[in-house]
Amino acid sequence: MSEERDISGILEILDDDYARAILEATRQKQMSAKELSEVCDMSVSTVSRRVNTLLEYDLLIERTHIDPDGHHYSEYEAQLDRVDVRLLESGFDVRIELREDAADRFTRIWDNMRNE
């Protein structure tokens, strides 16, 4: 997704009970689609549809793991940290904050220092 996020699309996703359940479940722990299906009490196909949408909007990240036998599987982790919605005289101000891992945070800080 581009830097200019589709705010109405994100708010529509957050209005979905299943998408919110997936984000809540993956906030502290990476989970596979099968685990999400069990924890969130939804079918694997429902999990897959919601996961694809959450990935499209960068609200979830996918990590692929390879077993010693060569099989691979994906686990998902919530990337959404915060949504702030403010009502202004000229409309709404919506800010979406995503979680950063240490490497991304370091790169951002380094780039900011070099550009100053």
Side-chain angles (χ1 to χ4, degrees):
M1 190 171 153
S2 69
E3 283 301 310
E4 183 61 36
R5 300 193 188 289
D6 177 9
I7 300 300
S8 62
I10 290 174
L11 293 176
E12 186 176 320
I13 291 166
L14 295 177
D15 188 42
D16 181 80
D17 291 337
Y18 293 127
R20 284 195 317 273
I22 290 170
L23 288 170
E24 290 170 12
T26 58
R27 175 76 174 142
Q28 299 297 325
K29 178 185 173 199
Q30 295 178 21
M31 296 182 143
S32 67
K34 185 176 187 290
E35 290 172 314
L36 285 167
S37 172
E38 294 166 2
V39 169
C40 298
D41 193 29
M42 62 183 86
S43 70
V44 173
S45 62
T46 298
V47 169
S48 294
R49 283 192 302 274
R50 295 321 189 281
V51 160
N52 287 336
T53 302
L54 291 164
L55 288 169
E56 178 183 335
Y57 282 89
D58 298 327
L59 301 179
L60 203 64
I61 56 174
E62 179 178 17
R63 300 193 193 279
T64 303
H65 303 281
I66 300 175
D67 285 336
D69 63 3
H71 292 92
H72 68 278
Y73 64 97
S74 293
E75 288 187 324
Y76 305 97
E77 181 180 357
Q79 198 59 8
L80 179 65
D81 187 45
R82 180 181 185 149
V83 177
D84 287 323
V85 180
R86 296 181 67 194
L87 177 59
L88 306 173
E89 289 180 19
S90 61
F92 287 93
D93 177 32
V94 180
R95 296 174 191 245
I96 309 293
E97 292 182 28
L98 301 178
R99 295 166 63 183
E100 285 184 299
D101 65 14
D104 289 339
R105 188 172 25 258
F106 177 77
T107 300
R108 181 180 49 78
I109 291 169
W110 178 255
D111 287 344
N112 287 342
M113 289 173 42
R114 291 179 50 212
N115 292 331
E116 288 182 1

